[in-house]
Amino acid sequence: MLQIHVKRSLDNKRVNPVVSLYYLYFILKPFYLKASGTVQMAEVCLLASWILSILCGLCKNRLMDFRLMHLFYLFVTGAGIVNIFYAVKMHDIQFIHALFYWLFNLIFLILSYELLLEEKLLEKLVQIFKLTVYVQFAIYLFHMGRWYGEVRYKGTFNDPNQFAFYLMMCGIFIFIYGIYTSRFGFGDGLAVGFAMFLIIKSASRGMTLCVALIFVFELLGGSYVWCKKIVKSIGRKKILAAFAIMGCVVVLAVCVTRVMGGSSSYTVWDRWKETVSTVKQGKGLTSGGRNAFEERGISRVWEFPQYCFFGAGEGGNARFNTWYTGEIHSTFPGILFCYGIIPFALLFIWCIFSIRKLDIKYLAVYFSLFIESCTLVHYRQPVFWLVFVIGYGIQRGMFLTGHGKTKLIAVANKEEEKWKME
């Protein structure tokens, strides 16, 4: 039971190998030694953590403890049925390969839910994300990173969008933790500034869009009462200093790289200028004569609407006989098309229920991430789903300390006694 584990994990001060391997996954995740889609060292660590949790009895009756997790469990079951059906029908192993991604995400979420009440979990994750940003920035400064076509930087990743997305998520977790604790120090501002700079160097339009949306929605969505409260608790000078630090870091980093030299002068601003130029010419969101929906495969959603009901499976894209034969480069529309309305609804309800009670200052981040996710595929990245688990933990008070956590444990103990009597 979760309740048993809550008490055990708080009382046990020894190093827990399950937790250590879980943290090691995030430390190693940015380092791709092999092609994307293959098992990296980070995935080995997470699987080892999950296996150890089973051997230790930490995952016993887990899905009965977290009713919300049932929705994701049922979604993966539906996705499995759809993919297995098309794998047998079309004799294509690609559908099974796609299923393994979802099984890995399920394992990741099972473990993440189990460890929600670990001491200082969110704080330690944020420390790891800040370390990741610092390391990636150092790799860039010493010219040890990789480039995509000599125009887009991708660090230790295999793809610039993949690189930019992970750094964006690092910044989001740092920002969420700053909101939660009402503290945003020099190190936080420095890490976010470095992350923003590296995202710009990756020339990823989707990630720069997300950063801009977060900034805009936080300004629009943050009520005057909340702003006044934050200013009073943190201090006007500290808030201005945090924004000044982030701005100075970006400017300083640009100046340093100008002096040290770079692989290309092509930036994300050039990509956005190209997009704006095509719109002004009356061509809409086009690229190479194709609009953005066709270029990313999103047009299949209305060109083949029948699959939105019972699913097309994740693979066999050549059967659609369209100009673009790759996968749909959009997270939620892609899930709807691949798995149908019922599995999609289960997953979407899981997302909504995970964050529905959060304050508006958090929802601005989630709304921005949702809009950005429609431009690229993120559902294979466990860190994308982790932000919903953290949201669930925040709204349930699972990261409280002191008296707040003691009260939470007391409630858990009562639920445990009730469960035993039943």
Side-chain angles (χ1 to χ4, degrees), residues 215-257:
F215 181 75
V216 171
F217 288 144
E218 283 294 340
L219 289 178
L220 296 178
S223 64
Y224 174 76
V225 175
W226 173 75
C227 291
K228 188 176 180 180
K229 180 180 178 181
I230 292 297
V231 170
K232 185 177 180 180
S233 60
I234 301 178
R236 186 180 290 101
K237 292 183 179 179
K238 290 185 178 180
I239 293 177
L240 294 176
F243 279 103
I245 290 170
M246 288 188 287
C248 289
V249 166
V250 174
V251 173
L252 179 62
V254 171
C255 293
V256 170
T257 52

Side-chain angles (χ1 to χ4, degrees), residues 1 59-79 106 109-110 113 342-351 353-354 389 392 419:
M1 288 291 294
C59 288
K60 185 178 180 182
N61 292 326
R62 156 166 319 289
L63 296 179
M64 295 302 294
D65 298 328
F66 285 97
R67 296 179 182 179
L68 185 63
M69 189 61 192
H70 283 169
L71 294 170
F72 200 93
Y73 182 73
L74 291 172
F75 163 74
V76 174
T77 302
L106 179 62
L109 290 180
I110 286 174
Y113 272 117
I342 295 178
F344 173 80
L346 291 170
L347 179 65
F348 197 74
I349 292 172
W350 175 81
C351 292
F353 273 65
S354 296
V389 177
Y392 173 78
W419 176 79

Side-chain angles (χ1 to χ4, degrees), residues 18 21-22 45-51 53 58-59 62 69 106-116:
V18 174
L21 287 169
Y22 181 78
C45 291
L46 188 79
L47 291 173
S49 178
W50 175 64
I51 293 172
S53 70
L58 301 185
C59 288
R62 156 166 319 289
M69 189 61 192
L106 179 62
I107 290 172
F108 174 83
L109 290 180
I110 286 174
L111 197 56
S112 297
Y113 272 117
E114 180 64 52
L115 301 178
L116 267 181

Side-chain angles (χ1 to χ4, degrees), residues 54-124:
I54 294 177
L55 295 177
C56 295
L58 301 185
C59 288
K60 185 178 180 182
N61 292 326
R62 156 166 319 289
L63 296 179
M64 295 302 294
D65 298 328
F66 285 97
R67 296 179 182 179
L68 185 63
M69 189 61 192
H70 283 169
L71 294 170
F72 200 93
Y73 182 73
L74 291 172
F75 163 74
V76 174
T77 302
I81 293 173
V82 173
N83 277 327
I84 291 173
F85 171 79
Y86 282 106
V88 174
K89 180 181 178 181
M90 302 182 65
H91 306 285
D92 190 348
I93 197 68
Q94 183 182 1
F95 293 97
I96 303 301
H97 186 245
L99 177 58
F100 279 120
Y101 275 110
W102 287 113
L103 290 175
F104 183 80
N105 280 330
L106 179 62
I107 290 172
F108 174 83
L109 290 180
I110 286 174
L111 197 56
S112 297
Y113 272 117
E114 180 64 52
L115 301 178
L116 267 181
L117 280 164
E118 282 298 320
E119 191 71 22
K120 298 182 179 180
L121 172 71
L122 182 56
E123 180 182 343
K124 292 177 181 178

